[in-house]
Amino acid sequence: AIIAREVMFSRAKSRVLLLSATPFKAFTDHDDVHRGDDHYRDFRSVLQFLLQERGDLLEQYDQHRKALYKQLLDLRKGDRDLSPEHRDAVQALLREVMCRTERNSVAQDPAIMIEDQGREPVTVELGDIDNYRKTDRVFQALSAKKLVAGNPVEYCKSAPYPLSYLDRYKVKETLKLHRDDPDIKACLRSVPQAWLNLGAVRRYRFVVGSQKDPAVPSNARLSLLVEKAVGQRGAELLWVPPSLPYYPLEGPFAAMPNFSKTLLFSAWVMVPRVIATLLSYEVERRTIGNSRTREPHEKETRRYFVPDRKRRHPIPQLRFSRAGRDEDAQLRNMSNFCLLYPSLTLAKVIDPAANVRDGLTWPQLRQRATDAISPEMERAQLGRYSSKNGDGERWYSAAPVLLDRASGQFRRMLTNWFWVDGAEEDPWGRLTFFRGATENASAKERHFARLQECFKHPENAGLGPLPKDLAEVLADLALGSPAVLTLRSLQRVFPGQNNAVSMVRAFDAADEFVNLFNKPESIAAVRLGVTDKSYWRMVARYCANGCLQAVLDEYFHLLKGQNVDAEDAIAQLLASVNLDTASINVDNLRSFTADRPKKMRCHYAVEFGSQRIETDEGGQRAASLREVFNSPFRPFVLATTSIGQEGLDFHAYCRRIVHWNLPGNPIDLEQREGRINRYKGLVIRQFLAEKYRSKLTDPSGDLWQRLFDLADRQERQDQQKCELVPYWHVETDSVKIERVIPLYPFSRDQARLAKILKTLAVYRLAFGQPRQAELVEHLLKGKFNDEELKEILSKLMINLSPISYEA
């Protein structure tokens, strides 16, 4: 059925039918036709529907279409007499009722945005072969009983330890039914190495992707994926580095400046499970399992599998606690508010985005912030609140509040934000537990009440002597506190919002960041990249190292472009910073025999498509995964089957695609890559930021809007191109979409890949024609060189773009 919408234009009184962008499959090969898909039949049905009252045009179209078909069949190498007469006639008739603008119409080289990394085969080691041998022993035992036919070579090529992951596959269900058979039991006992070594996983001693030890089963494809998707220091990243950093990145972010998320497609349902569990485990091994992330006072042994009701280590560091339960109980960790309080003064005193123009190094920028904060401290006369008997450590959380309190411009906003006496409104918009201390108040409530009292009566806050490094610490917060950075981003991208409301939303976002930095893998990642005596200071420096300010500005710009307002932008940020960790059942021989699989965590990488999207819970999980993958935060790898191939966008922070298995139809390769080659995708932003950064002389407002306006003038308007440029297509010579195809040496897939890529170059010539596969095969036999093929395409390929950009 063709779904159409009628749109009436009152002036012209004309009727326009808006059809789906793809109401028919662009190319159908022999297998598609066998399954019931047929491009010519479906296209003909659409055309007849559109021309139902204009039979004369359909007759003319048929005449010229047949002539063009014959012209294509008669093509010979060296032909120069390529008359576009029939192509032009077909094109003109079709443009009466349909149009379609593709990147090819504006691209000098349609493949210029793709870097093909699939030509070099992966390296097979002894571990790969040993994994197959041991798995094959189990299959042979089943075959001897005539229970299963075949061999596991395709399983082992696709994943290590397939027996650990073959849940819901017939072979494992059969093995489960007959595992007590004496012969099969003996076989299983003889090859425990055919299963994932969960004992080594438990102790963080199993290395994923290692091919150095021939005694350890490995997988060449997985080794390549670890190299691409995790790399040298990807395990230490908690967000994708910004495309337009405001100053030189530091730590792991400096080591991986053009880092990208990875989208992986596989024909095997088990592969996403393998990828999600083993890559996430490997990230934990490099962080939690790294002895350098252990503090001297931590005595507990780090283990991957933790018994029920036991906490994983390292335990949360940013906690609110108190000594005692009464109203006079001593409150600890007030310094956590350094990360939570959205100081208006610190947000205003310096703007890191201005450094795009100024080009200062990080130490220079930090010094500039320190120099700007020192006069603010003097103006606020903070020294009058100090006392010899007070606690000097309290100044770090109190100073941002007192700086805002001393400002006539900000004091009223704080009165509203704290909801104290004289407040004009409640910006929280809900009954928050941060309303004040009550008899049953939690430690978190009491801490906030203490901060509130510090604002109301700073002379009673028990503040000690001013710390000598207070200005430097406040500078670190101005450049690294999640609360301050979020507040500044909201003010930049969504100007005009009430500041008290923005402070509430920034506080909410910062609270979610605190939860992120309390996760064991986050604590370990921070400790690997930053050293300091206090964890909250380490977090602020980590955020500054990764220029979280630029990350949030970029993310909010993308959301605003989707007609998202400030409220919904914060809601998406809250949902993205901390995606709930999922788990997948995995077996070793012992757990399989006992029918008690282990659960392995998925956070760095996740599987997509196994969720039952027809249920509310499954649908919500799938939607959440799409949204979070299109955010700068983890997961960094999304592994899926064909379910993620069409109609879904994963481009916002991903420019790497891995074809674990080649698709059957060449168009499916294009469909897969179209998921990350879209409007304002990461590849577009990284290239434009690299090319036009030096021309951003005005750092005010939304820098990304300025950058795209600049690129639009120079890339499109000056060259008279359509609006696909620069939002959908750029003639990049540096940053590109990475196409990774891990092929085995001497594999049949090498020949298939070559044919797929050749087909993609010519299949558009078969648009609207019958028996497309045969026509394309005929054209490929012509062995036209690149120059000849370019001329054939320019004169005989149908272009339905409403505006022609041909030279």
Side-chain angles (χ1 to χ4, degrees):
I2 299 175
I3 301 174
R5 182 184 303 159
E6 296 186 358
V7 180
M8 299 297 298
F9 292 91
S10 58
R11 262 187 212 172
K13 299 295 184 183
S14 59
R15 179 174 294 172
V16 177
L17 296 168
L18 300 181
L19 299 179
S20 163
T22 52
F24 45 81
K25 200 165 186 176
F27 177 80
T28 50
D29 59 15
H30 298 296
D31 291 335
D32 293 319
V33 173
H34 181 71
R35 289 191 294 267
D37 291 328
D38 187 339
H39 166 82
Y40 179 71
R41 181 197 63 205
D42 295 342
F43 177 77
R44 184 80 180 179
S45 297
V46 172
L47 191 58
Q48 287 176 334
F49 172 78
L50 295 172
L51 295 175
Q52 53 188 319
E53 297 177 359
R54 307 178 69 180
D56 57 324
L57 290 183
L58 186 60
E59 187 176 337
Q60 292 178 43
Y61 165 79
D62 283 335
Q63 177 184 346
H64 290 288
R65 195 273 306 161
K66 291 177 182 177
L68 177 60
Y69 187 76
K70 184 177 185 303
Q71 191 176 7
L72 291 169
L73 290 176
D74 290 343
L75 280 175
R76 296 294 181 270
K77 188 173 179 62
D79 286 350
R80 293 297 180 186
D81 185 17
L82 301 175
S83 172
E85 173 188 356
H86 297 295
R87 188 281 307 268
D88 291 346
V90 169
Q91 195 167 267
L93 288 165
L94 291 179
R95 281 181 178 174
E96 290 277 329
V97 291
M98 64 177 66
C99 67
R100 179 180 175 86
T101 302
E102 298 186 87
R103 275 172 285 243
N104 298 60
S105 64
V106 296
Q108 296 179 10
D109 177 2
I112 197 168
M113 289 179 62
I114 304 288
E115 181 183 0
D116 190 353
Q117 300 182 349
R119 298 310 178 98
E120 294 297 324
V122 296
T123 303
V124 177
E125 302 288 348
L126 289 177
D128 296 74
I129 299 172
D130 189 57
N131 186 23
Y132 167 73
R133 289 178 58 250
K134 289 181 169 58
T135 305
D136 187 53
R137 290 271 297 276
V138 177
F139 273 70
Q140 291 297 333
L142 290 172
S143 297
K145 299 283 184 178
K146 301 187 183 306
L147 298 172
V148 171
N151 63 64
V153 64
E154 291 300 330
Y155 291 131
C156 293
K157 283 169 60 179
S158 292
Y161 313 105
L163 292 175
S164 295
Y165 289 94
L166 282 172
D167 290 353
R168 300 193 297 276
Y169 278 74
K170 182 179 178 180
V171 61
K172 191 167 183 179
E173 295 302 317
T174 302
L175 185 62
K176 185 179 295 185
L177 288 173
H178 297 86
R179 60 190 168 194
D180 293 327
D181 179 280
D183 294 334
I184 292 178
K185 181 185 290 187
C187 175
L188 289 174
R189 288 177 176 175
S190 70
V191 284
Q193 301 89 348
W195 306 77
L196 180 61
N197 188 341
L198 295 180
V201 168
R202 178 175 177 268
R203 299 186 299 274
Y204 288 113
R205 292 184 180 177
F206 178 76
V207 180
V208 178
S210 173
Q211 294 183 304
K212 296 180 181 179
D213 187 353
V216 177
S218 58
N219 184 270
R221 282 176 169 169
L222 188 60
S223 298
L224 177 64
L225 181 63
V226 171
E227 176 187 335
K228 296 288 185 181
V230 182
Q232 181 184 4
R233 301 187 70 177
E236 300 171 46
L237 300 181
L238 299 181
W239 53 77
V240 176
S243 304
L244 182 66
Y246 299 150
Y247 47 80
L249 302 173
E250 298 204 350
F253 298 95
M256 311 189 74
N258 284 328
F259 181 82
S260 167
K261 294 190 178 187
T262 300
L263 178 63
L264 182 146
F265 284 98
S266 170
W268 296 92
V269 174
M270 72 169 176
V271 168
R273 302 176 201 160
V274 175
I275 301 304
T277 54
L278 293 187
L279 256 65
S280 296
Y281 158 78
E282 176 63 16
V283 165
E284 284 197 33
R285 186 193 68 81
R286 296 186 185 191
T287 51
I288 298 174
N290 190 328
S291 61
R292 292 194 293 121
T293 67
R294 183 188 300 276
E295 296 290 324
H297 63 274
E298 294 178 355
K299 305 300 181 183
E300 297 82 359
T301 302
R302 300 271 178 90
R303 290 287 184 259
Y304 180 83
F305 297 111
V306 180
D308 292 341
R309 299 181 182 179
K310 290 282 188 177
R311 290 190 299 182
R312 294 170 59 211
H313 289 274
I315 62 175
Q317 305 291 297
L318 301 171
R319 296 177 297 171
F320 291 100
S321 60
R322 55 182 178 173
R325 309 299 297 178
D326 57 23
E327 291 187 6
D328 296 326
Q330 181 182 357
L331 302 182
R332 298 169 178 168
N333 307 114
M334 282 295 293
S335 53
N336 289 345
F337 281 111
C338 293
L339 305 176
L340 286 167
Y341 175 66
S343 169
L344 292 157
T345 301
L346 296 184
K348 182 180 178 182
V349 77
I350 189 168
D351 183 3
N355 199 52
V356 172
R357 175 194 61 202
D358 300 337
L360 301 179
T361 64
W362 162 250
Q364 291 172 331
L365 186 64
R366 184 175 185 263
Q367 186 60 52
R368 173 179 285 185
T370 303
D371 294 341
I373 287 169
S374 295
E376 295 292 333
M377 293 172 55
E378 295 178 8
R379 193 174 298 115
Q381 300 179 1
L382 297 184
R384 59 183 162 156
Y385 302 122
S386 65
S387 63
K388 292 182 180 180
N389 298 325
D391 184 357
E393 189 74 16
R394 292 184 183 179
W395 270 110
Y396 298 122
S397 59
V401 174
L402 298 181
L403 288 176
D404 289 351
R405 185 182 187 275
S407 168
Q409 179 185 0
F410 299 148
R411 186 162 183 168
R412 176 184 290 182
M413 298 175 196
L414 259 69
T415 300
N416 290 334
W417 188 74
F418 277 116
W419 190 238
V420 296
D421 298 339
E424 298 175 358
E425 57 180 335
D426 175 15
W428 295 89
R430 55 185 169 84
L431 289 176
T432 171
F433 56 85
F434 286 138
R435 189 54 59 84
T438 63
E439 184 177 352
N440 298 317
S442 68
K444 206 169 186 180
E445 289 175 296
R446 288 188 179 274
H447 280 76
F448 191 83
R450 175 70 60 82
L451 193 70
Q452 187 183 60
E453 283 300 310
C454 180
F455 168 71
K456 293 168 64 176
H457 306 292
E459 65 278 0
N460 299 327
L463 301 172
L466 284 170
K468 294 181 180 180
D469 64 349
L470 182 57
E472 288 83 358
V473 172
L474 293 177
D476 287 338
L477 298 181
L479 297 170
S481 163
V484 175
L485 304 184
T486 305
L487 177 63
R488 195 183 285 127
S489 280
L490 288 172
Q491 293 172 336
R492 184 195 315 283
V493 183
F494 300 98
Q497 172 122 329
N498 180 285
N499 274 330
V501 174
S502 294
M503 289 180 68
V504 170
R505 302 301 173 248
F507 184 93
D508 289 341
D511 194 36
E512 201 61 51
F513 273 105
V514 166
N515 292 334
L516 169 67
F517 284 109
N518 270 333
K519 289 184 173 181
E521 52 270 20
S522 300
I523 297 169
V526 170
R527 287 176 175 176
L528 285 172
V530 184
T531 56
D532 205 301
K533 59 183 179 181
S534 301
Y535 184 66
W536 65 267
R537 289 191 185 186
M538 295 168 66
V539 168
R541 183 56 190 271
Y542 181 91
C543 293
N545 284 353
C547 200
L548 182 60
Q549 181 71 77
V551 172
L552 294 174
D553 290 350
E554 185 175 358
Y555 184 44
F556 283 166
H557 169 83
L558 293 177
L559 293 177
K560 187 176 182 180
Q562 300 167 17
N563 295 319
V564 171
D565 60 15
E567 291 290 319
D568 288 338
I570 286 293
Q572 290 212 65
L573 176 64
L574 296 179
S576 300
V577 171
N578 263 325
L579 181 72
D580 292 337
T581 299
S583 60
I584 292 175
N585 289 340
V586 180
D587 274 317
N588 65 359
L589 180 57
R590 178 180 295 180
S591 69
F592 172 73
T593 304
D595 208 14
R596 296 180 62 183
K598 292 286 189 178
K599 291 186 178 295
M600 293 189 68
R601 292 180 290 276
C602 307
H603 41 74
Y604 188 93
V606 296
E607 64 166 341
F608 180 82
S610 65
Q611 300 81 13
R612 296 187 60 184
I613 59 176
E614 69 273 11
T615 66
D616 289 342
E617 183 179 353
Q620 290 174 4
R621 175 70 179 176
S624 295
L625 285 177
R626 288 198 301 271
E627 287 186 3
V628 178
F629 194 73
N630 277 321
S631 81
F633 307 101
R634 293 182 178 181
F636 289 165
V637 178
L638 189 75
T640 184
T641 57
S642 59
I643 194 171
Q645 186 168 296
E646 190 170 351
L648 300 175
D649 296 341
F650 299 111
H651 63 295
Y653 287 90
C654 179
R655 62 175 182 85
R656 179 185 300 115
I657 187 163
V658 178
H659 300 283
W660 204 254
N661 307 98
L662 288 175
N665 189 321
I667 306 307
D668 290 340
L669 191 80
E670 227 175 41
Q671 288 281 359
R672 289 178 176 183
E673 294 174 356
R675 302 309 98 217
I676 62 171
N677 192 0
R678 305 189 76 75
Y679 178 73
K680 285 189 179 181
L682 180 65
V683 65
I684 298 285
R685 300 198 310 279
Q686 287 184 344
F687 173 70
L688 294 183
E690 176 186 279
K691 185 174 182 179
Y692 292 107
R693 176 190 181 93
S694 62
K695 298 183 180 181
L696 287 172
T697 56
D698 182 359
S700 62
D702 186 345
L703 259 66
W704 276 102
Q705 189 58 54
R706 292 182 183 278
L707 188 144
F708 272 104
D709 289 344
L710 177 64
D712 183 64
R713 288 194 300 272
Q714 299 198 24
E715 300 281 333
R716 179 182 70 86
Q717 296 179 30
D718 291 353
Q719 300 183 45
Q720 297 183 333
K721 292 185 176 180
C722 78
E723 291 182 352
L724 290 180
V725 178
Y727 305 97
W728 288 76
H729 176 83
V730 288
E731 297 290 325
T732 174
D733 55 0
S734 53
V735 183
K736 300 191 177 191
I737 289 174
E738 298 178 24
R739 174 195 288 158
V740 181
I741 308 178
L743 301 177
Y744 279 96
F746 311 110
S747 168
R748 292 173 296 178
D749 285 342
Q750 288 180 305
R752 286 186 59 217
L753 174 61
K755 183 177 180 180
I756 284 174
L757 296 179
K758 288 178 181 178
T759 300
L760 288 177
V762 302
Y763 85 89
R764 287 178 174 83
L765 289 168
F767 178 78
Q769 301 288 5
R771 301 164 65 181
Q772 285 183 305
E774 294 178 17
L775 177 57
V776 166
E777 289 170 0
H778 171 76
L779 292 171
L780 293 178
K781 288 178 181 178
K783 296 182 179 179
F784 302 106
N785 59 39
D786 290 343
E787 183 179 346
E788 290 173 322
L789 188 57
K790 185 176 180 181
E791 185 175 1
I792 291 171
L793 289 170
S794 69
K795 293 185 177 181
L796 300 183
M797 185 183 75
I798 295 170
N799 178 7
L800 296 182
S801 174
I803 304 175
S804 176
Y805 294 95
E806 298 174 3

